[in-house]
Amino acid sequence: MTVAYELEFETYRPQLYVVPDPSGRTAPSPRVRRRRIALGAVVVALLALLALPIRSLGGSTLAQAGPAQGQEYIVKVGDTLASIANRADPAHAASLTGQIARETGTSLVVPGEHIFIP
């Protein structure tokens, strides 16, 4: 053996060939395909419902609920002590306004202020 032959032998690599796909995997049946489509439609519908605000469905959230007695209320723009008391207890709004004023120490409210409704 010559040196050139030995170098050629060492660089020899086997040829690669394509292996065919195993035929064991077939396309899903029409029944399975229909189930997947139905499941996808249900998931899309649920995601669409979650994206909608609850208010558009007729419900209300705690942030939109009016003040109630024994609860802390966050003052919004345009609120006054009288309007807060009127929404909390329309029958006793005048006395509740005085109670809230005594509780806060002032008759002025600032948006974002947390007020306890007695």
Side-chain angles (χ1 to χ4, degrees):
M1 277 174 58
T2 65
V3 176
Y5 183 72
E6 288 178 14
L7 288 176
E8 186 179 323
F9 182 75
E10 290 175 359
T11 60
Y12 173 76
R13 293 197 172 100
Q15 291 183 354
L16 300 176
Y17 56 94
V18 178
V19 178
D21 286 338
S23 62
R25 175 115 180 159
T26 60
S29 68
R31 183 176 178 187
V32 171
R33 202 172 310 127
R34 280 193 306 267
R35 285 183 182 176
R36 287 181 182 169
I37 291 171
L39 179 64
V42 167
V43 168
V44 168
L46 287 176
L47 287 174
L49 286 175
L50 287 174
L52 294 175
I54 295 173
R55 188 176 194 189
S56 69
L57 298 175
S60 65
T61 61
L62 286 176
Q64 298 165 346
Q69 290 185 340
Q71 191 179 54
E72 187 175 277
Y73 177 73
I74 301 173
V75 179
K76 298 177 186 133
V77 176
D79 279 345
T80 62
L81 286 182
S83 67
I84 294 170
N86 191 30
R87 280 187 279 161
D89 188 9
H92 304 98
S95 63
L96 188 56
T97 302
Q99 289 177 352
I100 295 173
R102 283 191 298 279
E103 182 87 23
T104 59
T106 181
S107 61
L108 298 174
V109 290
V110 179
E113 183 179 356
H114 293 251
I115 295 178
F116 179 75
I117 309 294

